[in-house]
Amino acid sequence: MNYNERMTLFARIGFAARGLVYVLIGWFALDVAVNGGQPTDNQGALGALANAPLGNILLGICALGFAGYAVWRLTEAITDPENRSRDHKGKFERVGYALSGLTHLVLAVAAARLALKQSSAQEGSPGDQSAQSWSAWLLEQPGGTFLLVFVGMLLFVVAAAQALKAYKARFDELDGDVPAPDYVRWIGRFGYAARALIFALISWFVISAALNHDANRAGGLGEALKQLRAQDYGAILLGLVAFGLALFGLFSLIEAKYRRIKVTKPNFSK
């Protein structure tokens, strides 16, 4: 098995791991919508896996998949094998690949530490505390308020991109000899719409933290779900978003099997 084949396999495992995590997040969020309680984010979902039968094995597979996915995305961002930098859209996509790669690298480390029992499983949404920590660090830097607003705006652009993907529902990367079925596109459409809303809320939390110079206003996925539950008709609203996040997980599992993945070995000598 050559480099490209190995990395393609790891990327597919990464999609499958992401799918499993989002299905868990959606399931736990649906339980919160019905019964109340604290929502769970990506790291909280990994913590739930640690307590499941064969949890360490599942976490080890997730760590491997997340690491492979991260390397694939970072390679796309750094070496640009498909020459996406020819226009502004392509340059933005490369920034998105870099952010995705770094995010999944963090998840890979978290999953590996849980699998090796080097850290204890955390329930709830530990990502909220992380968001507050790096927001506080940024605010302490010269021009920190501007930097944090910039991060918030970047997250809003990501939300807009997710919403556009939900609206267009092309998903050309799934088209093989025949186009992807309509029901698969609707699964992806609902999943990306839910993610767009979550990213928009996280963006607002970060911008609010910057404008008020209060890092405690920042938050991640868990805080976004919590705020949805707190609204009028919050149970219904959170239930719909939870269903959408679970569908995004299902769509990721479909991608793990059918997505066209192009992996090019990086050549830094160019």
Side-chain angles (χ1 to χ4, degrees), residues 18-245:
R18 185 178 74 174
L20 175 59
V21 167
Y22 266 93
V23 167
L24 288 174
I25 291 171
W27 174 258
F28 292 143
L30 184 60
D31 181 67
V32 172
V34 175
N35 300 311
Q38 294 296 320
T40 296
D41 63 8
N42 305 65
Q43 294 186 44
L46 290 175
L49 280 179
N51 299 319
L54 302 177
N56 289 343
I57 295 176
L58 287 174
L59 284 169
I61 295 173
C62 285
L64 183 66
F66 285 143
Y69 186 95
V71 170
W72 170 50
R73 283 307 197 189
L74 289 172
T75 299
E76 284 190 308
I78 295 170
T79 65
D80 193 19
E82 296 181 341
N83 296 318
R84 293 180 177 271
S85 293
R86 289 172 293 183
D87 53 32
H88 292 297
K89 178 183 177 182
K91 292 176 181 178
F92 172 74
E93 287 178 342
R94 288 181 68 186
V95 173
Y97 293 156
L99 292 175
S100 178
L102 292 173
T103 299
H104 284 84
L105 192 59
V106 171
L107 289 175
V109 172
R113 288 177 58 84
L114 285 169
L116 297 173
K117 299 188 182 299
Q118 293 181 353
S119 63
S120 57
Q122 294 179 285
E123 298 180 354
S125 52
D128 292 338
Q129 186 175 356
S130 297
Q132 293 171 5
S133 296
W134 59 256
S135 295
W137 180 83
L138 270 180
L139 286 173
E140 292 173 356
Q141 309 309 308
T145 299
F146 171 79
L147 289 173
L148 198 54
V149 169
F150 177 76
V151 171
M153 292 303 298
L154 185 61
L155 288 169
F156 184 78
V157 172
V158 172
Q162 301 273 302
L164 185 62
K165 197 162 187 176
Y167 174 73
K168 292 185 174 180
R170 290 176 179 168
F171 307 124
D172 296 334
E173 62 274 12
L174 287 178
D175 292 340
D177 296 332
V178 295
D182 286 342
Y183 72 87
V184 171
R185 296 182 186 277
W186 277 106
I187 290 173
R189 170 170 276 174
F190 281 121
Y192 274 99
R195 286 240 302 176
L197 177 58
I198 294 297
F199 272 107
L201 288 172
I202 295 173
S203 167
W204 169 245
F205 298 153
V206 172
I207 293 174
S208 178
L211 296 180
N212 292 278
H213 209 78
D214 181 6
N216 290 328
R217 290 176 176 261
L221 172 58
E223 182 63 25
L225 295 175
K226 190 186 304 181
Q227 288 297 321
L228 288 173
R229 184 64 174 86
Q231 305 306 309
D232 294 336
Y233 303 102
I236 296 175
L237 183 58
L238 179 56
L240 290 173
V241 172
F243 184 63
L245 292 175

